[in-house]
Amino acid sequence: MQNENPEFAQAHGGRCEMVGGGMNNKLRSIPDPHCGLCMLGLLLFCLTYPALGMAGEFDTYRYKLEENNNDKVCTHMEDVFSKYFKKPFSTISDEDVYVKDGGVLPPLLPGAKDDLHSFVTMLHSFQPTSPEFDAIKWKVGKLITRTAGELDTQNTPFIAADMGLNNDGQIETFIKFGFMTCYNFYSGGCRPTDSWSVFHKGDIDLLNGPINWDMPIQGQNGHRPLAVMLEDYDCRVIRPFIYDGVTYLSCYSQNWGKNGPDINRSTPDREYTEVLKYQGVEKLPFPDGRTLLKAKTVCRFRMTVAK
């Protein structure tokens, strides 16, 4: 999917697109980790004060396949999204209700807490769900943030899971340390996109938690992340899943038209869920210096609100 507003895409981590080999090879820009540290204050504020309601919370969606590069996968995932993701933004503000309805809270890493704040903040990374998404075995951890130069034990959550993200026989650790809590761009005090990073398995120790606030971005013991995404408006919610032994990414995006988001509108022009195959990263040469995430589009589904 190409952003119809190049200036908006460039300013907010847009995506370049090439066509070849029967699939769209997409290059998605990732902010440089060193430049991204200035965003952490806002990010952590948004994590601390999640929004419980959003414009699309009560909407029921239909999914129409618009791009099909693998009949088996796209037919299967159309059934999955249509069955399990009819209300993708429905919120649950009570853990007891969530568990009673069959929800399974992920296990905790050392230093983490199982509380309502963490649950609501991370909700769209776990719900809705299906067997394909449940195949990713997330664990919840805690980041130690800095307040006035002092270490603060505030419960700022992250989630992590080991998976074969590249489908090359190697295992990576995928860490999500920022969570979309805003359906639109103008819900104050919340975060509009996910933030995440990727490490070689074993390059980061999550069992000695809680971990430092900047570790998902800067790495640990000289081991740098393979990729970092602080903000991506072309993939506001990103969720890995496994189908038929292959790891894919589910990517939710919004299209607000050529002028971008408008404070006078509460809903975008179009909404999409894409199925992507992660293909690594590419570092652009100096002086650009950006890192591009490469992904192939397997399927694209247009989301429409059922009347």
Side-chain angles (χ1 to χ4, degrees):
M1 179 180 63
Q2 290 180 313
N3 196 308
E4 293 185 3
N5 183 356
E7 292 80 8
F8 180 78
Q10 184 177 16
H12 294 87
R15 177 166 60 190
C16 303
E17 190 166 316
M18 303 181 298
V19 178
M23 284 189 175
N24 291 336
N25 293 311
K26 300 190 175 183
L27 300 179
R28 306 157 67 76
S29 61
I30 302 175
D32 189 290
H34 296 288
C35 299
L37 284 176
C38 60
M39 296 177 58
L40 260 290
L42 176 61
L43 184 153
L44 294 172
F45 172 83
C46 295
L47 288 175
T48 306
Y49 300 101
L52 301 183
M54 51 181 65
E57 177 180 347
F58 303 106
D59 288 336
T60 299
Y61 283 84
R62 296 190 180 98
Y63 294 81
K64 180 181 179 181
L65 183 61
E66 286 195 348
E67 182 174 341
N68 179 359
N69 294 303
N70 185 313
D71 283 337
K72 180 180 179 181
V73 174
C74 295
T75 299
H76 179 80
M77 292 310 298
E78 185 173 21
D79 290 341
V80 168
F81 291 129
S82 297
K83 179 178 179 180
Y84 295 104
F85 288 73
K86 293 179 180 179
K87 291 183 177 292
F89 306 112
S90 177
T91 59
I92 301 173
S93 58
D94 189 303
E95 289 183 4
D96 291 336
V97 173
Y98 171 65
V99 173
K100 182 180 177 181
D101 288 343
V104 178
L105 295 174
L108 302 179
L109 289 165
K113 290 196 296 186
D114 182 7
D115 63 3
L116 184 60
H117 163 77
S118 297
F119 174 70
V120 174
T121 298
M122 302 180 296
L123 179 63
H124 299 301
S125 292
F126 298 123
Q127 291 293 304
T129 190
S130 71
E132 294 77 11
F133 289 88
D134 288 340
I136 303 296
K137 304 304 181 183
W138 295 107
K139 294 183 179 180
V140 177
K142 183 173 72 171
L143 299 174
I144 297 177
T145 60
R146 292 187 181 273
T147 302
E150 299 294 330
L151 285 180
D152 188 326
T153 56
Q154 170 184 326
N155 185 33
T156 304
F158 71 90
I159 59 175
D162 294 333
M163 65 190 74
L165 190 61
N166 287 298
N167 296 294
D168 60 358
Q170 304 298 311
I171 302 299
E172 290 80 33
T173 298
F174 189 101
I175 300 176
K176 191 183 289 191
F177 55 91
F179 305 88
M180 188 201 86
T181 55
C182 296
Y183 173 80
N184 57 50
F185 289 78
Y186 300 106
S187 299
C190 60
R191 180 161 178 77
T193 76
D194 286 345
S195 301
W196 51 271
S197 56
V198 179
F199 289 83
H200 286 301
K201 183 181 179 181
D203 279 358
I204 188 167
D205 180 13
L206 303 177
L207 297 178
N208 219 359
I211 67 174
N212 290 336
W213 62 281
D214 60 347
M215 195 177 294
I217 297 174
Q218 295 296 318
Q220 185 184 51
N221 298 326
H223 298 296
R224 303 286 296 175
L226 300 172
V228 176
M229 180 65 80
L230 293 177
E231 188 176 72
D232 185 0
Y233 286 85
D234 280 341
C235 194
R236 298 185 60 192
V237 178
I238 188 165
R239 293 181 60 183
F241 68 91
I242 297 174
Y243 170 61
D244 200 24
V246 178
T247 303
Y248 299 93
L249 298 174
S250 170
C251 166
Y252 167 72
S253 62
Q254 298 176 345
N255 188 309
W256 291 80
K258 64 179 181 180
N259 295 320
D262 185 342
I263 197 170
N264 296 314
R265 292 188 295 155
S266 60
T267 57
D269 291 347
R270 291 185 294 279
E271 297 172 86
Y272 296 92
T273 290
E274 293 179 282
V275 174
L276 308 175
K277 286 189 73 174
Y278 178 88
Q279 290 204 313
V281 295
E282 180 179 338
K283 185 77 171 179
L284 292 182
F286 182 83
D288 189 302
R290 289 176 301 158
T291 301
L292 299 180
L293 170 66
K294 298 182 291 186
K296 283 187 175 180
T297 298
V298 181
C299 324
R300 183 175 69 238
F301 299 94
R302 171 78 179 273
M303 301 168 62
T304 57
V305 176
K307 301 300 183 181

